[in-house]
Amino acid sequence: MRNVKLGVMVPTVNSTMEPELYRMVPKNVSIHFARLAPEVDYNVTLSLERLLGYAQEATKAAKSLAIVKPNVIAFGCTSGSLLQGIGYDQEIIKRIESTTGIPGTTTSTCVIAALKHLKMKKVCVATPYPDWINEKTKEFLESNGIGVLRITGLEDKCIISDEPPENVYRLAKDISLPAADGVFISCTALRTIEILESLEKEIKKPVVSSNQATLWMMLKMAGVSEEINNFGTLLRSF
């Protein structure tokens, strides 16, 4: 297999996405990260200013990643790439590609592609978000043709990366409805990869998470179709 490089821009407060992608990525694929670090008050949980700031930092971060010549560059923030509604993710992608000449994507773009690939037309959504971001997430999914039967957030968290995966498991299990085609767990800072397989077995439906979907889409864009086991149905489905 040829060597493939993936570039990912990740919010500076996110300590989950890097180790999760490293654990899932196949051999001969390397991942290179740049931090999105807008000058905002990080003591305010998931502020509008901070989320918009991540997108504003995308051009600078993409330039730094372009130096290592990755095959794909991803904007690795779910809510930060859907905040302004349908088409906002595509604006960020255009910014990446016009700056670097390298194919780009965003986590929200990858999630939509993954849900459609698995034919998940109606989903239940688990998040770490406050209600106002949950509403934006619901609007974005439904604008892209994905029905949201239920969306529920954890308690307001200052440091999402510190949330134990067993709490995420319980939330995702509790919100799953019989009428749903599966569950989507949103946020690249939320630890999910330890629970994907067991959760799918328990609810007997596919589960898509932000980090899993981001890696899946980037690999597809880079021409890698190697089946990856132990991290849910999606990564076995190229």
Side-chain angles (χ1 to χ4, degrees):
M1 180 191 292
R2 64 193 175 92
N3 290 325
V4 170
K5 298 177 185 177
L6 306 179
V8 182
M9 298 178 282
V10 61
T12 192
V13 295
N14 183 334
S15 61
T16 298
M17 191 173 197
E18 289 164 285
E20 288 210 336
L21 295 192
Y22 286 139
R23 282 180 60 185
M24 293 187 289
V25 72
K27 293 179 180 178
N28 299 318
V29 178
S30 60
I31 313 178
H32 309 271
F33 290 88
R35 310 301 285 188
L36 297 163
E39 295 183 4
V40 297
D41 183 358
Y42 285 94
N43 292 315
V44 180
T45 305
L46 291 173
S47 66
L48 177 63
E49 181 188 18
R50 186 205 294 185
L51 293 173
L52 291 175
Y54 292 146
Q56 292 163 2
E57 290 284 300
T59 299
K60 181 169 67 175
K63 282 182 179 178
S64 71
L65 282 171
I67 295 170
V68 299
K69 299 180 179 179
N71 299 80
V72 183
I73 295 176
F75 179 84
C77 181
T78 320
S79 56
S81 57
L82 59 76
L83 199 62
Q84 301 285 59
I86 191 166
Y88 185 55
D89 58 326
Q90 298 303 316
E91 291 177 18
I92 297 172
I93 290 170
K94 287 177 184 176
R95 205 177 305 167
I96 295 168
E97 294 181 342
S98 64
T99 299
T100 66
I102 295 168
T105 190
T106 79
T107 293
S108 64
T109 315
C110 299
V111 166
I112 296 297
L115 296 176
K116 290 184 175 180
H117 176 77
L118 294 177
K119 297 179 170 44
M120 293 167 65
K121 297 179 180 179
K122 296 179 292 183
V123 297
C124 295
V125 184
T127 84
Y129 308 142
D131 289 345
W132 72 273
I133 300 180
N134 281 341
E135 187 57 37
K136 294 290 186 183
T137 302
K138 182 175 185 289
E139 289 173 5
F140 182 81
L141 291 169
E142 292 187 336
S143 295
N144 280 281
I146 307 295
V148 177
L149 301 184
R150 178 184 287 177
I151 182 166
T152 304
L154 293 162
E155 293 294 323
D156 195 18
K157 299 295 178 184
C158 187
I159 305 177
I160 295 171
S161 295
D162 289 347
E163 188 68 30
E166 53 266 28
N167 291 351
V168 183
Y169 184 99
R170 282 194 294 270
L171 175 63
K173 177 187 170 185
D174 289 346
I175 67 165
S176 180
L177 295 171
D181 298 314
V183 169
F184 165 47
I185 306 175
S186 186
C187 189
T188 59
L190 204 57
R191 291 172 58 192
T192 60
I193 65 171
E194 298 101 321
I195 66 170
L196 294 174
E197 286 283 323
S198 56
L199 184 57
E200 286 191 338
K201 288 176 182 176
E202 179 144 5
I203 68 173
K204 297 179 173 56
K205 295 177 182 180
V207 179
V208 169
S209 76
S210 290
N211 287 337
Q212 172 212 48
T214 302
L215 179 62
W216 172 81
M217 187 67 182
M218 288 180 22
L219 291 173
K220 282 177 67 72
M221 291 174 68
V224 178
S225 57
E226 180 180 341
E227 182 178 298
I228 302 170
N229 294 309
N230 303 316
F231 302 110
T233 299
L234 180 66
L235 287 174
R236 293 192 293 271
S237 175
F238 284 91

